[in-house]
Amino acid sequence: MSKLLILYTGGTIGMAPTPAGLAPVPGYLPAQLQRLAREGVSWDVVEYPQLIDSSAITVADWQKLVADLAAAYERYDGFVVIHGTDTMAYTASVLAFALENLAKPVIVTGSQLPLGHPRSDGWGNLADAIEAACQPALHEVAIAFNRLLLRGCRARKVDAASFAGFDSPNATPLARFGIHASWDTTQWRRGSGAFRAVLPQPASIRSGFLLPGSMAADFGRWLAADTPQAAILHSYGNGNTPDDAALLDGVRTASERGCLVVNLTQCGKGAVEVGAYAASQPLAQAGALAGGDMTPEAANAKLLYLLSQGLSAPALRQAWAANLRGEVTLAD
Ligand code: ASN
């Protein structure tokens, strides 16, 4: 018998039409879940008092989720978090880092169409999430969506129009749900050590999406003038940037102040590979940290997690380089 805790935070899945557009309807979704009842599984449902469109998610919401999961950790075999799709990959990434030495499944799901819609994808997603949350060997935060189970800190929302809303472009799925569930246990992480939750703390993390023209210099000048704790620059291809003096000065100045400047690729797939092109070297020499094939969502969560622990600047830079939750592919 698996005992699950289902935390319902909001999202389209439990929404209904209102004059202003789709909005969450309290009480609706927990009652609907009864339709998924089956032998061998029981669950408690907690509906959050403020059901949100996930575009409104804040660090305070993440703190509550992490705290709720941590408080209930010993009492349940697995967890399902029902969430809007817009920031689902951000939340799944935050949970993946915050829940250290996780040894139970935490499955995040939602849908593109509300459960009340005749063609809703929510039923399948919920059923798959519950199935995954009953797997005792799955020690991961994962997203169940459109018949895939994806590592949370590898997943991205890639489509706002089709049911195939999520993908993990640089990592193979943890499972595929067909007539039979096909669990790729070779991909599953093995937890060891005592479970511990690290509450994410608000941090000043900025990001910039490089555009041809004056943007590189503007970003550099802004970095030199502002004092964020971290900044993500979405560069071209394998991590390339123009050799722009203001950009490099800004990155150098910020890095010397202890700011973590992370270089991620703008590409949907592939990695920052320092040295693949000469055009990737100056940014690295100025102090930027390569993000490899990490998603922006995972990079944000990793930065938040590391910045929440009061580490020194060298310790932060060292921890950044490690693969902590299977979020990045490291070169051998
Ligand atoms: N705007 C919605 C949300 O993220 C989208 C969805 O859930 N499909 O809450």
Side-chain angles (χ1 to χ4, degrees):
M1 182 78 176
S2 297
K3 189 158 187 234
L4 309 183
L5 177 64
I6 301 181
L7 299 176
Y8 170 35
T9 68
T12 297
I13 193 163
M15 291 189 188
T18 73
L22 288 173
V25 183
Y28 172 71
L29 186 135
Q32 294 295 313
L33 286 173
Q34 293 316 315
R35 275 181 57 180
L36 296 170
R38 63 181 169 87
E39 199 84 346
V41 195
S42 69
W43 54 71
D44 294 328
V45 186
V46 174
E47 177 177 282
Y48 279 15
Q50 291 294 321
L51 296 172
I52 58 168
D53 184 298
S54 75
S55 55
I57 200 92
T58 63
V59 174
D61 295 315
W62 287 333
Q63 288 178 337
K64 176 164 171 49
L65 252 183
V66 171
D68 288 352
L69 289 165
Y73 187 74
E74 295 302 335
R75 285 182 285 123
Y76 293 91
D77 302 307
F79 302 86
V80 174
V81 176
I82 299 176
H83 197 285
T85 57
D86 288 346
T87 57
M88 186 182 288
Y90 286 92
T91 295
S93 295
V94 164
L95 295 180
F97 286 100
L99 305 174
E100 278 184 0
N101 301 321
L102 186 65
K104 298 182 180 189
V106 175
I107 314 299
V108 189
T109 196
S111 69
Q112 301 280 51
L113 282 177
L115 280 183
H117 191 286
R119 290 189 299 107
S120 178
D121 52 329
W123 296 109
N125 292 346
L126 280 172
D128 293 343
I130 290 170
E131 186 88 20
C134 292
Q135 303 302 308
L138 182 64
H139 301 169
E140 300 244 8
V141 176
I143 287 182
F145 215 91
N146 193 43
R147 305 306 189 196
L148 292 176
L149 189 71
L150 306 170
R151 175 164 296 151
C153 57
R154 285 294 202 162
R156 303 208 69 192
K157 182 169 181 177
V158 293
D159 196 332
S162 85
F163 291 133
F166 286 82
D167 191 11
S168 54
N170 292 316
T172 47
L174 303 176
R176 295 176 187 274
F177 300 99
I179 291 176
H180 300 289
S182 163
W183 308 105
D184 189 353
T185 54
T186 58
Q187 305 292 330
W188 297 8
R189 288 175 63 75
R190 296 274 160 269
S192 68
F195 171 76
R196 182 178 88 114
V198 177
L199 276 198
Q201 301 301 324
S204 52
I205 304 173
R206 313 275 183 253
S207 82
F209 192 91
L210 199 56
L211 302 170
S214 61
M215 203 242 142
D218 291 345
F219 186 79
R221 279 191 282 270
W222 167 83
L223 254 188
D226 198 7
T227 50
Q229 290 168 278
I232 299 172
L233 179 63
H234 300 265
S235 64
Y236 306 126
N238 292 119
N240 305 322
T241 67
D243 191 3
D244 180 280
L247 171 67
L248 300 176
D249 277 355
V251 170
R252 194 172 301 107
T253 307
S255 301
E256 283 167 6
R257 281 197 306 249
C259 171
L260 298 173
V261 183
V262 169
N263 183 10
L264 290 188
T265 177
Q266 293 182 4
C267 297
K269 198 169 175 175
V272 166
E273 290 174 40
V274 177
Y277 290 86
S280 65
Q281 299 278 17
L283 200 74
Q285 282 156 9
L289 299 162
D293 62 358
M294 225 180 290
T295 64
E297 295 86 340
N300 180 62
K302 188 169 182 176
L303 288 169
L304 206 58
Y305 167 72
L306 296 178
L307 292 169
S308 298
Q309 299 180 61
L311 302 173
S312 67
L316 280 172
R317 294 180 73 87
Q318 199 185 346
W320 173 266
N323 183 9
L324 301 176
R325 302 287 188 271
E327 75 278 6
V328 66
T329 310
L330 293 183
D332 298 325

